Amino acid sequence: MMLQEAAARIDAIRDNLAKVIVGKAEAVDLLLAALLANGHVLLEDVPGTGKTLLAKTLARSLDCSFKRIQFTPDLLPSDLSGINYYNQKTGEFQFRPGPVFAGILLADEINRATPRTQSSLLECMEERQITIDGVTHELEAPFLVIATQNPVDSQGTFPLPEAQLDRFLMRITAGYPTFEEGVHILQRFRGSNPLLDTAAVATGREIQELQRLAAAVTVSDDLLGYMISIVEATRKAPAVKLGASPRAGFALLRAAQGYALIRQRDYVLPDDIKAVAVPVLAHRLLLQRGPGSREGQAAGLVQQVLREVEVPAEQAPASRGGRVE
C-alpha cells in the first residue's frame, strides 16, 4: 500500500466518523492513531459524552467483526473468553467462543467488573491470544479493545490496576461539546440515528496493511532519544511514585508513528510525539498522593515534562512514499 493510498483510506474512515460524531476531532485522530499503532484504547469521560457512540461508529466503519459486552460485577471471565461445553448429541466437548473472539471488542464500563474478570483481558490485549483449559486460541487480526469508564462515579466500581492500565496504548478524554457542537448534535439526531446508515469503508486486511505501514514510519535516533528523555523525566518528578515504564516508551513510539501516518507522513516529527504524550503516558503514572488524583494531575505533569525536556533540532526527511508488502 502506497502512502497516498493509506492517506485516502484514513480520510475515508475519518469522514465516516464525522457523519455521526460531531466535533471531537482530536479524540478521533488519537483513536485512529491507536488503531494504526495496533494498540488498545481506554475512553474515559462523564456519562453521555458519546464514548460508546464513538466506539460503535468506528466498528461500523470497519469491515471487522464487532462485539459489545456490558461489564457488571457478576460478569465472569468465561463470559468473555467462552467455555468448553458437553454436546450430548456428539458425546464430545466443544468450544463455544466468547465475545473476545472479535476484531473489535467494546468493553463498556470496564471498571464495573471485578478484578478477576478484568484480568481475563490481560493475555488477550498483550499477546492477541487466550488460553482456555490449557488450549491457546489465536484471536482475530486486527484485534482492538475499546474500553469505556466513568471517572466520577466510584460506587460499585473496581479501579483498574496499573498492570491493566498499562495494556492500553492510550487513555482518551473528549470532554463536553461546545455550544455550536451541541446545537449541531441535536440537529443531526432529531430525525434519526445516523449510525444506522453507517457502512464499512475499510476491510480488516486494509487495516493490517495500514498497521504495517505505520510500523515502518521513520523515526530518527534524535527523536528516539527525545522519547526516552520524556519517559525518564516522568520517573524523576518528585510528585511521581511510579513513573513510565519501558513499555510506555515503546507505546509512545508506536503512537507517534500512527499519528504521523494519519497526518499523511512517513516520518515522525516532534509535534507528533507531543500530540500523543499525554494520552499515552498520563494513565501509566502513579502519583504520590495515590490513584485518586491520577488523571488531572498526571496529565499536567506530562505537559510540564514536555515543556522542560529539550526538543531536538529535527529536519524532516524526504518522504519515501514506500510500499508495504
Side-chain angles (χ1 to χ4, degrees):
M1 178 181 288
M2 301 295 291
L3 185 60
Q4 294 79 4
E5 298 176 71
R9 188 58 56 201
I10 293 168
D11 285 344
I13 299 173
R14 186 187 283 113
D15 292 343
N16 223 35
L17 290 169
K19 294 176 182 177
V20 180
I21 305 299
V22 177
K24 303 184 186 295
E26 182 181 359
V28 168
D29 282 351
L30 291 173
L31 180 60
L32 292 178
L35 173 66
L36 300 189
N38 200 19
H40 308 292
V41 173
L42 178 63
L43 295 177
E44 185 174 274
D45 223 325
V46 295
T49 51
K51 301 184 296 295
T52 301
L53 181 63
L54 177 59
K56 291 173 68 175
T57 305
L58 177 64
R60 279 182 171 262
S61 300
L62 308 179
D63 189 16
C64 302
S65 58
F66 169 70
K67 297 289 179 62
R68 173 187 177 181
I69 187 163
Q70 187 69 43
F71 277 59
T72 55
D74 60 347
L75 191 72
L76 299 176
S78 59
D79 294 328
L80 292 172
S81 62
I83 59 171
N84 286 307
Y85 73 100
Y86 184 74
N87 189 327
Q88 295 183 344
K89 293 183 178 180
T90 62
E92 297 177 347
F93 280 93
Q94 294 184 356
F95 177 62
R96 178 181 295 160
V100 296
F101 290 87
I104 299 179
L105 173 65
L106 172 56
D108 222 357
E109 296 185 284
I110 188 173
N111 56 334
R112 293 199 176 277
T114 62
R116 178 188 177 192
T117 301
Q118 292 176 11
S119 64
S120 65
L121 287 174
L122 292 176
E123 182 184 9
C124 304
M125 297 173 68
E126 180 67 18
E127 302 176 44
R128 267 65 176 184
Q129 65 181 34
I130 187 167
T131 303
I132 304 168
D133 293 339
V135 178
T136 299
H137 304 266
E138 297 293 330
L139 299 179
E140 291 186 26
F143 175 66
L144 171 66
V145 174
I146 303 177
T148 69
Q149 69 174 8
N150 176 4
V152 296
D153 183 8
S154 60
Q155 293 186 354
T157 62
F158 303 86
L160 299 179
E162 279 64 37
Q164 186 82 52
L165 286 170
D166 203 36
R167 295 301 197 274
F168 289 101
L169 182 74
M170 295 187 194
R171 180 182 68 88
I172 301 174
T173 301
Y176 286 116
T178 64
F179 176 84
E180 292 76 12
E181 290 172 347
V183 173
H184 195 181
I185 289 172
L186 297 182
Q187 292 172 339
R188 180 170 294 183
F189 285 83
R190 64 182 171 186
S192 61
N193 188 348
L195 177 64
L196 302 178
D197 299 323
T198 303
V201 294
T203 66
R205 183 173 180 177
E206 288 172 332
I207 295 302
Q208 289 181 275
E209 291 178 354
L210 289 172
Q211 290 174 341
R212 287 193 291 270
L213 186 57
V217 167
T218 300
V219 187
S220 70
D221 290 342
D222 286 343
L223 288 185
L224 293 177
Y226 178 54
M227 294 183 200
I228 295 303
S229 296
I230 293 172
V231 169
E232 289 187 343
T234 66
R235 303 171 188 165
K236 299 174 182 177
V240 175
K241 181 178 180 180
L242 182 65
S245 66
R247 179 186 289 165
F250 182 60
L252 187 59
L253 168 63
R254 289 191 299 156
Q257 289 176 306
Y259 197 85
L261 185 57
I262 69 169
R263 295 302 184 192
Q264 302 183 11
R265 282 183 277 103
D266 57 3
Y267 55 88
V268 169
L269 295 177
D271 285 346
D272 300 322
I273 300 171
K274 293 179 180 180
V276 300
V278 171
V280 168
L281 298 178
H283 68 283
R284 304 172 191 268
L285 304 182
L286 182 62
L287 303 186
Q288 293 288 357
R289 296 182 180 180
S293 59
R294 176 187 290 121
E295 288 76 16
Q297 294 187 23
L301 189 144
V302 174
Q303 291 169 347
Q304 178 181 349
V305 166
L306 293 175
R307 290 191 295 268
E308 295 176 351
V309 175
E310 183 179 357
V311 180
E314 180 68 17
Q315 297 296 325
S319 177
R320 295 175 289 116
R323 175 181 293 274
V324 174
E325 300 295 340

